[in-house]
Amino acid sequence: MSDSKRHLLGLRGVQAEDIKILLETAEALMDVSSRDVKRLPALRGKTVINLFLENSTRTRISFEIAAKRLSADSINISAGGSSLSKGETLADTARNLHAMSPDAIVVRHPSAGAAKLLADIVDCPIVNAGDGWNEHPTQALLDILTIAQHKPSIEGLVVTIVGDILHSRVARSNIYGLLTLGAKLRLAGPPTLLPPEFASLGAEIHYDIPSAVAGADVIMMLRIQRERQGKNYFPSLDEYAHYYCLTEDVLADAKSDVIILHPGPMNRGIEVSSGVADGPYSVMMNQVSNGVAMRMAVLYQLIVPGADGIRGSEIPEPSLPSAAGGQVL
Ligand code: ASP
């Protein structure tokens, strides 16, 4: 595998062909999770370190299960349990992890650029499991897999992403991946959370939810990322919910076979009503199941010698102007 195929730092710059390889690999690995013995020997003898320096439920557990289902040894490190809490820098932590010869490091960090910093220091593949506002490529890949399972083709689909676009790494990775695959993207949210720069990527900007949802094939709702908001971007959560919560009424104008995604964690009644979250169009639990298969695919493609790898995924920097507004390494 060439160097340019060795990391998954983001979806910016990843070619459509490589996304398709990951989708196919995930599909091929999907049934492992429903077998009696949920294990393949593909990564036997390999070590995957999960360095999670920011809270996570789904992503951390999903990566751990994915590594175990491929027979890798997986080791979890959290912020509180690491020497970072004693003042060690991320770069020094990375050098020490590198000295123990892992076969891949999965990293989540509150700062944009953290995954790239590790990739510059260590020899093994780095998988970005979310760096600040920047990217969360495996979330977008599992979202794309979920969409692909429900629709004949991504090309030409109207995909609406609603919510706190400004602070969302999930939105950024989905924007890159979905545009690469030819989807028509609509972004919706209050103007304070949806800077006009996003239009330059080729997405339509909407400041009201009904126009963004009308005729949509896919609707992706995002959480209000209060942990990243240093100021008040809207008067109150009640007011936000009044204008931007996806309810059955709003949904009536979407396509009749629309699907609803949410990366979790979800705030019921703020981003999505319970009726929609638990209703027939929601594919949120499919997303969670697909997360394991997609993370297996990513680990497989990056670690197994001779696998395809992921071209272009090294393009590192926090990319949209507003991503750099957060804390950047
Ligand atoms: N779980 C996703 C993330 O880590 C989405 C969210 O937290 O709202 O970015």
Side-chain angles (χ1 to χ4, degrees):
M1 196 187 296
S2 75
D3 272 356
S4 67
K5 297 173 130 191
R6 295 198 58 217
H7 304 294
L8 180 61
L9 303 183
L11 287 195
R12 190 164 71 111
V14 175
Q15 301 169 17
E17 189 196 327
D18 288 85
I19 296 178
K20 287 177 187 162
I21 289 171
L22 286 167
L23 295 174
E24 281 162 21
T25 311
E27 283 292 358
L29 292 167
M30 194 80 72
D31 84 304
V32 176
S33 296
S34 50
R35 292 183 192 170
D36 271 356
V37 177
K38 301 180 176 59
R39 198 166 279 244
L40 287 180
L43 297 185
R44 192 161 51 202
K46 307 286 184 192
T47 304
V48 177
I49 296 181
N50 293 318
L51 180 60
F52 273 68
L53 304 175
E54 193 189 54
N55 292 346
S56 174
T57 305
R58 273 154 296 273
T59 308
R60 184 176 54 76
I61 293 171
S62 181
F63 267 110
E64 191 176 349
I65 291 177
K68 288 192 157 77
R69 294 213 169 140
L70 292 174
S71 301
D73 297 314
S74 64
I75 288 136
N76 298 319
I77 308 173
S78 62
S82 76
S83 289
L84 286 150
S85 64
K86 299 180 184 169
E88 186 171 71
T89 63
L90 180 61
D92 279 334
T93 300
R95 285 186 192 101
N96 281 274
L97 296 177
H98 179 220
M100 295 183 226
S101 310
D103 295 287
I105 300 176
V106 178
V107 60
R108 166 166 291 198
H109 196 280
S111 297
K116 160 68 176 152
L117 184 122
L118 257 67
D120 287 344
I121 291 174
V122 304
D123 264 351
C124 68
I126 297 295
V127 182
N128 182 5
D131 65 328
W133 306 5
N134 186 36
E135 284 225 38
H136 191 352
T138 59
Q139 176 69 48
L141 287 166
L142 74 87
D143 293 339
I144 292 170
L145 175 62
T146 307
I147 297 169
Q149 286 171 343
H150 287 85
K151 304 287 172 191
S153 161
I154 305 275
E155 191 166 0
L157 278 186
V158 176
V159 180
T160 296
I161 306 180
V162 184
D164 184 358
I165 310 278
L166 175 63
H167 300 102
S168 176
R169 53 197 178 203
V170 175
R172 283 179 178 74
S173 290
N174 266 293
I175 291 168
Y176 297 128
L178 286 165
L179 286 175
T180 300
L181 295 179
K184 293 184 187 147
L185 266 194
R186 294 178 185 167
L187 305 177
T192 47
L193 294 174
L194 179 47
E197 295 97 305
F198 282 84
S200 66
L201 295 172
E204 266 179 33
I205 304 288
H206 293 249
Y207 292 120
D208 67 292
I209 193 168
S211 75
V213 159
D217 296 289
V218 176
I219 304 171
M220 185 181 297
M221 302 305 295
L222 300 173
R223 185 173 63 88
I224 290 294
Q225 319 244 322
R226 276 179 283 182
E227 74 278 23
R228 303 207 170 90
Q229 297 179 2
K231 56 181 182 179
N232 292 332
Y233 285 86
F234 44 82
S236 68
L237 281 178
D238 281 351
E239 182 137 342
Y240 177 86
H242 177 72
Y243 288 105
Y244 293 102
C245 183
L246 187 64
T247 60
E248 283 105 320
D249 282 354
V250 177
L251 199 55
D253 284 336
K255 289 246 177 83
S256 58
D257 60 350
V258 67
I259 56 170
I260 318 292
L261 292 87
H262 192 302
M266 170 174 58
N267 294 300
R268 287 174 183 262
I270 296 175
E271 299 118 28
V272 189
S273 71
S274 277
V276 170
D278 303 327
Y281 306 107
S282 169
V283 294
M284 296 173 198
M285 291 306 114
N286 301 63
Q287 288 173 271
V288 178
S289 306
N290 286 337
V292 174
M294 183 48 81
R295 285 161 181 139
M296 288 169 78
V298 167
L299 292 174
Y300 180 90
Q301 290 294 353
L302 291 178
I303 298 176
V304 171
D308 295 292
I310 305 166
R311 272 166 298 185
S313 58
E314 281 202 319
I315 295 179
E317 305 305 337
S319 32
L320 287 163
S322 34
Q327 188 194 356
V328 180
L329 272 176

